[in-house]
Amino acid sequence: MNTMTTAKTTPTAEDDGLEEVVFDVFARGCPSRPTMEHVTGRWGGLVLVALADGDLRFNALRRRVDGISEKMLAQALHALERDGLVVREVKQAIPPNVEYRLTEFGSGVVERLQELIGFVEGNMAGVLAAQQRYDTAKANAEAGA
Amino acid sequence: MNTMTTAKTTPTAEDDGLEEVVFDVFARGCPSRPTMEHVTGRWGGLVLVALADGDLRFNALRRRVDGISEKMLAQALHALERDGLVVREVKQAIPPNVEYRLTEFGSGVVERLQELIGFVEGNMAGVLAAQQRYDTAKANAEAGA
DNA sequence: CAGCATCCAAGTTGATACTG
DNA sequence: CAGTATCAACTTGGATGCTG
């Protein structure tokens, strides 16, 4: 297991010239890993979800995703655009007007992302409690040592 | 918007002494951000999903999550345990035997995570195509410049 | 407004060695 | 087996200044 360095063909792929390819994030060299990292990374996910409510311009996005720097936003947008999650639309005008919009694929990703985020947010009270238990338990262990 | 530096109480929270608290990953200081990062970060998600098939021991996990170092695995496990996503179970024995298991909350997170991963993996062919389009378009733009 | 280039501080990562 | 400790290499992120 996990000797795969890139996507491999399935054993069941029919020999019709269009071999079925399987992608697996668990495999070190699978191209799905970088894409997952763009989607779930520190900023990518927030940028995607911010676009769920409607198209936004660069600086509007920057305001929406609290704390992101110009550089990181540009970097995230490039990666998302390259992966086909986001489309960059330039409207010739002065001042320049550039809008970012989710693709269909991007929307699908956002749906799933929002379910995950919603679930985590909804359980944060429990998380906070768990953290307290963990911290006091560790403090006691250290005191007892 | 986004002036929130920590979780805030909702405007509609009844004054019953148990104020409803809203968590929002978009807010810079919200405790849900670090938790989301543990869940979606480079290793956290893979570790969680690896545990979906059953409890695993430290070194078994290490083999399963291809490419993770000892240090990163230990670090990820600590964070996940502290957030209440994973339980660490020590079975006194020689040699030492420590198993990691998902909590109920952890399982819920994994479900959502798997939907996201599955969706992305299932669309990787399109991603690869998008990347090629993007790269050749950029190459042309540079050549024309 | 939209964004790139550069520099530098700070954080992250991974090998390696060692402990209980 | 199940980790911790340490250190060097690499990556990240942000502030700043500039272009179209």
Side-chain angles (χ1 to χ4, degrees):
Chain A
M1 185 199 297
N2 284 338
T3 57
M4 202 196 313
T5 54
T6 78
K8 72 172 179 194
T9 60
T10 59
T12 59
E14 296 111 302
D15 191 22
D16 58 2
L18 276 175
E19 300 192 9
E20 173 115 355
V21 177
V22 169
F23 296 94
D24 175 9
V25 266
F26 275 88
R28 254 214 288 105
C30 183
S32 62
R33 267 216 192 166
T35 299
M36 273 303 294
E37 276 167 30
H38 299 151
V39 166
T40 62
R42 181 138 173 233
W43 300 116
L46 291 178
V47 170
L48 285 175
V49 174
L51 288 172
D53 299 334
D55 309 355
L56 288 175
R57 300 163 47 181
F58 189 86
N59 280 312
L61 260 174
R62 199 147 124 60
R63 265 170 260 124
R64 194 93 204 299
V65 182
D66 195 20
I68 194 170
S69 72
E70 212 175 80
K71 182 182 168 183
M72 288 303 102
L73 178 55
Q75 194 171 299
L77 285 170
H78 286 329
L80 297 175
E81 191 194 351
R82 193 174 102 100
D83 288 348
L85 290 151
V86 155
V87 170
R88 178 172 181 272
E89 196 157 5
V90 183
K91 295 173 179 173
Q92 278 304 15
I94 294 175
N97 185 331
V98 180
E99 291 220 323
Y100 292 90
R101 168 166 44 84
L102 291 178
T103 62
E104 203 174 325
F105 173 44
S107 295
V109 166
V110 166
E111 275 178 46
R112 274 96 181 161
L113 217 38
Q114 281 180 320
E115 295 220 7
L116 177 62
I117 292 172
F119 185 73
V120 169
E121 285 178 347
N123 282 276
M124 279 307 295
V127 170
L128 260 30
Q131 292 178 344
Q132 289 213 313
R133 277 196 304 275
Y134 182 95
D135 292 345
T136 63
K138 204 177 64 175
N140 290 342
E142 274 168 23
Chain B
M1 186 198 295
N2 285 337
T3 56
M4 203 196 311
T5 55
T6 78
K8 73 173 178 194
T9 59
T10 60
T12 59
E14 296 110 305
D15 190 23
D16 57 2
L18 277 175
E19 300 193 9
E20 172 115 356
V21 177
V22 169
F23 296 95
D24 175 9
V25 266
F26 276 89
R28 256 217 282 105
C30 183
S32 62
R33 267 216 191 167
T35 299
M36 272 303 293
E37 277 167 28
H38 299 153
V39 166
T40 63
R42 183 140 173 230
W43 301 117
L46 291 178
V47 170
L48 285 174
V49 174
L51 289 172
D53 298 334
D55 308 356
L56 288 175
R57 299 161 47 178
F58 189 86
N59 280 312
L61 259 174
R62 199 148 125 60
R63 266 171 258 124
R64 194 95 203 299
V65 181
D66 194 19
I68 194 170
S69 71
E70 241 175 46
K71 181 181 166 184
M72 286 303 102
L73 178 54
Q75 194 170 299
L77 284 170
H78 287 327
L80 296 175
E81 191 194 351
R82 191 173 104 100
D83 288 349
L85 289 151
V86 155
V87 170
R88 178 172 181 272
E89 196 157 5
V90 182
K91 295 174 180 173
Q92 278 303 15
I94 294 175
N97 185 332
V98 181
E99 290 220 325
Y100 292 90
R101 170 169 88 273
L102 292 178
T103 62
E104 202 173 327
F105 173 45
S107 294
V109 166
V110 167
E111 274 177 46
R112 273 96 181 161
L113 216 39
Q114 281 181 320
E115 294 222 8
L116 178 61
I117 292 172
F119 185 73
V120 169
E121 285 179 346
N123 281 277
M124 278 308 293
V127 169
L128 260 30
Q131 291 178 344
Q132 289 213 313
R133 276 197 302 276
Y134 182 95
D135 292 345
T136 62
K138 204 175 66 174
N140 290 342
E142 275 169 21

